[in-house]
Amino acid sequence: MKKIALTLAAIGLATAAQAQTYPQRPITMIVPFAAGGPTDVIARIVGDHMSRTLGQQIVIENVAGAGGTTGITRAAQAQADGYTIMMGHMGTHGAAPALYPNLKYDPTKDFAPIGLAAGTPIVIVAKKDFPANDLKGFVDYMKTNGEKVNMAHAGVGSVSHMTGIFFNAVVKTKPTMVAYRGTGPALNDLMANTVDYMTDQIVNVAPQIQGGNIKAFAIATAERSPALPNLPTTKEAGLDGFEVSAWNAVFAPKGTSPEIAKKLSDALVKALDDESTRKRLLDLGGVIPSGAERSPEALQKLVESEVARWTPVLKAAGATAE
Amino acid sequence: MPTSHERSSPERRWSIRAPQNFAGGISLIALAALALWLMSDLPRGTLRSMGPAMLPDWLAIGVGLAGLALVASSFKPGEALERWSLRGVFFILLAIVGFAVTIRPFALGPIAIPGLGLAVAGPLAIIVSGFATPEARLRELVILALGLTPFCMLLFGDLLNLPIPIFPQSLTGLFPADWSQKAVLRATAALMIVGAAAVFFLGRGHKADQVDVAVQGGRG
Amino acid sequence: MGDFFSNLSLGFGVALSLQNLGLAFLGCLVGTLIGVLPGVGPIATIAMLLPITFGLDPVGALIMLAGIYYGAQYGGSTTAILVNIPGEATSVVTALDGHQMARQGRAGVALGIAAIGSFFAGTVATLVIAALGAPLTKLALIFGPAEYFSLMVMGLVFAVVLARGSILKAIAMILVGVLLSTVGTDLETGQERMTFGLSFLSDGIDFAVLAMGIFGIAEVMRNLDNTEARDIVHKAIGRLLPNKEDFKQSYASVIRGTVIGSILGILPGNGAVLGPFASYTVEKKLAKDPRRFGRGAIEGVAGPESANNAGAQTSFIPLLTLGIPPNAVMALMVGAMTIHGIVPGPQVMTRNPNLFWGMIASMWVGNLMLLVINLPMVGMWVRLLKVPYRLMFPAILMFCAIGIYSINSLPTDVMFIALFGLVGYLLIKLGFEPAPMLLGFVLGKLMEENLRRALIISRGSLATFIERPVSAGLLAVALVLLVLALLPSIRKGRDEVFTE
């Protein structure tokens, strides 16, 4: 018994010592999507500054698959020594339990939250010829024409799919859903007037809105975005209950020592305060979390509330990827 | 659908009936049956909203019909089955699977293999697969393995900074603590190259000509 | 027209700066070196090398990335020719005749004509982009789901024409390929199909894994069977570069391939993938002696390679003018641009003319670099074939394993190349050809998605495919091609192929 206690103490000391000298070698940040997507871009921008703070490089490893759950599963099962962390997002840590019944991790329990990185707001866009010019007209049209309208999305489990379902639930409409493989082809058909509307991240649609190829009705955030200053928020346009942005956040596997988590969290906060990092994120139309939203505790609360928010919406729409 | 005589491979052509078509047809039918069985619990839907099973089911039926036609055609004269090489297939499969389970930690049920990284997985794949041919010579393969692996390690790990596991995590303790990851990598690579050179020079006396060729392979 | 020249000179002013020239060179070189790894195509190469461009200024980074792209594309063709392992869908066609040429000791000629054809195609495509980029964008918008489905049907018919030997077996292989493409999560409903409940199958089978298995690994297994066949490859080296006769034989193919590739490259949703197939089909149909195809016809390398490079280049048009990535490579370029703070879209041309025209000019510079780097390297690649096979194949195998692992960091991908290798070996033994299956696989996914999309939008009416003129036209072409392929006289011609 004594022996065990001693061993435990020794391990405790060892981890404390480890935390003091952490990090000694490069840290792997698993991004559960292919390189080049919004989450990957944010991870690389934030990771770049965090590397400078920590004095060790953060290597981005893209492990794509199954809506991001492949990469997160691997990261969750990695050694909790601070050398494997991950960039999770609204899908992997919010919608996944509803979408994937066989999910091998629990977003609320299996992670040590580090902090929120940046989010990208959702914009409601429609084809150029759509017979409505503002959100109110759009919602009214949807209510009377329901199934005649085609909603495009970028595949089951994608941000545009989830937020589209959420929007339809808020507006209480049931359009015909048309799936695409990725945002690009969906936007192409939206511009060609083949499909009617979609909801997607601002970074994907802003250039087309500015170019006049599609029309935008509202942005689903509390405040207007500097990238599209003329676009009203959903609340301003008269729609309550549809506020959503695709958030991205850094997590470590459960059991990561608090000292290491603190070092990572501090580095993340420092990155979010850095002028050039902020500028790069804002250029993307990103939303940077303010002081209180950045703490690990706030992230834990966010994950819990997101799981609670998405599960009923997605289950009601029958969206699972079994 | 026309039934055709099969003479796909130019090397061999002795004419009995057509066992090759027969085996091919049976395989297609089996594949079609497997697909139909796997898809059996998914909805086919209607043209207006096609279910996930509609197209695969059609395709499986098409594959099955093609299989039937092949079986039918096998009663006419055609190609015989070719000779199989079990040795080649076995060692190649073993080498690839060996690489897969050693490159990073792997666990399947009760079996757990610690991640050994490229430094072990690479030579393993080369040496095991080398034995797929009866002409294999161990010494040559060792030189090839110890020459090519450090090349890949330096290219992927050092130059390109790719997150590919390089060496067994448990061995990092052997190096001085203040060495960086890169220094360890370079030291390991250098060690392997020295090893390759050692094996190369030790046996040089006997078969100089073949050894030269091996080194040329190493540059690839 | 004055604009055209002033724009181009602005572009070349940017692209020809010493730093940017160096970056283009470096990009092409690194891209070639990584892309030449078996199974590692442009997508994987760009994804791997993306991070090394982060430290550069945006223009330099994009120029380097474009270089990596062309380099990887050419590196992929090199592997297809030398070891019969296509790194991506578009080099499947190159492998057909290119590898046969290599077996006949004409690897250098194949590599040379590929490089020269690509350079010509790249030059033309660069001019097309600079002159017609904006108006051509409209073409992308004509292609809705119905048109795209019909285009894919036409592509599958190409696959029948492309096949050698038994048409029945070719059709069976195409069907199997399409069937394989349906494995994984259903795009519309999210239900998993034929995954055996395995999570790594839920995204479907990866092209690189399938191609490497049934082409590359299976080829190694087969070579181990018959010692005679493989020794031919290693003894004869032959001429290093194409001679006058070769040029005479292939210049028309290069021009046709360039035109076909340029047009198909503009289409959304990876239309470029059809370019090489279409070019090959055209060449085979136009040839005086179609039997040479599949047995080392130089036109079968020159045409598709030109189409491939032309398409690779014109697929930048939707990205540059609309900001819409038509395929996975372009999606990566979008990511690269956004990391550098440039959001691609219609405004890039007016807001960052330096970047826009610099990049277009650098495309041509990149193509030139490719020629400069690769013509001298041809000799080196060809000499690699001299390495005795007992040493060559273990090296190929290890490179395959590393290459496939580095794409997704998934050991299961590595295991799957073993599985598909075995499958490919069985196919060869049963007299099936893997190429039509791979084509079915590539086109199948696009075909199913667009079929279902078109039917959802038309509310279940099949008439939509005939009512829309472009779609109807494409289906008609497909039908004509199919009839031609099935005509008994042509079939007879096919069978004669095997009287060596």
Side-chain angles (χ1 to χ4, degrees), chain C residues 272-334:
Chain C
V273 93
L274 271 182
F277 301 144
S279 161
Y280 192 87
T281 312
V282 168
E283 292 311 320
K284 196 168 170 182
K285 283 283 156 214
L286 287 180
K288 284 201 194 83
D289 182 11
R291 290 175 301 172
R292 289 190 302 116
F293 281 76
R295 293 150 48 93
I298 192 167
E299 302 98 303
V301 178
E305 273 298 297
S306 312
N308 188 6
N309 205 43
Q313 208 130 320
T314 52
S315 62
F316 272 98
I317 290 182
L319 177 69
L320 288 174
T321 56
L322 292 177
I324 287 187
N327 56 40
V329 172
M330 291 301 133
L332 270 175
M333 296 298 268
V334 170

Side-chain angles (χ1 to χ4, degrees), chain A residues 15 158 182 201 296 302:
Chain A
T15 39
S158 67
Q201 303 177 61
L302 177 73

